[in-house]
Amino acid sequence: MFAQSNVARVQEISINTNNADFGDFPHLFGAPLGKAIICWGADGRVGVRGTLFADDFREPIQAILKVRYQAADGTWTPFARGDVIGQGGLVAFQRFVHTSPRGRFNRVQIRLETFQDSPLPNDQAVRVANQVFRR
């Protein structure tokens, strides 16, 4: 994501929420075995790279990944978004690569939302995983 000389730290992460996951390949038995990464740049920037999975084997599901960055002054960037829709059966996936704007960023918020049809008319079941990572 950044030139090797500009990398301060690489942080490996994985988020597993039963039917939607963020990590990387291989993805076996409903969970990513590979890790997504947060790349903290020496110049203050930060980047996130991984794979978003929708892996409900019975029902259609939509997985939405939202990533934003907190600057040193406390302000947050707007969310960058990735999404994938699985139709049941095979695992659906989408690569996600995003880098912060220029500046000094100390935190990354990663939010994983899962939408699945509910038995009620005009309703969807929603699950949310939310994690904040620090430099």
Side-chain angles (χ1 to χ4, degrees):
M1 299 191 74
F2 302 115
Q4 185 175 357
S5 62
N6 193 29
V7 174
R9 180 168 74 106
V10 175
Q11 185 175 5
E12 294 183 339
I13 65 165
S14 182
I15 302 172
N16 183 357
T17 66
N18 293 336
N19 299 330
D21 311 311
F22 184 59
D24 212 347
F25 287 100
H27 186 278
L28 300 171
F29 309 111
L33 301 180
K35 304 291 185 183
I37 62 167
I38 300 173
C39 189
W40 300 98
D43 66 352
R45 295 181 73 192
V46 60
V48 176
R49 183 181 75 199
T51 304
L52 174 62
F53 299 95
D55 62 1
D56 189 308
F57 296 103
R58 296 176 304 275
E59 302 290 330
I61 186 171
Q62 180 180 17
I64 298 173
L65 179 72
K66 295 180 177 178
V67 176
R68 68 180 181 165
Y69 312 97
Q70 187 180 40
D73 67 3
T75 60
W76 289 91
T77 64
F79 279 107
R81 179 182 157 136
D83 66 86
V84 65
I85 296 176
Q87 298 301 324
L90 297 175
V91 174
F93 63 91
Q94 179 190 52
R95 294 287 294 160
F96 180 87
V97 178
H98 193 267
T99 306
S100 71
R102 295 189 190 285
R104 186 129 198 100
F105 295 90
N106 296 323
R107 293 184 183 173
V108 175
Q109 179 185 10
I110 299 178
R111 183 178 172 92
L112 185 56
E113 300 174 352
T114 306
F115 295 88
Q116 197 164 24
D117 288 336
S118 165
L120 302 173
N122 301 319
D123 195 22
Q124 286 189 329
V126 178
R127 287 187 206 100
V128 175
N130 190 58
Q131 294 186 16
V132 176
F133 301 90
R134 292 176 168 77
R135 181 175 286 275

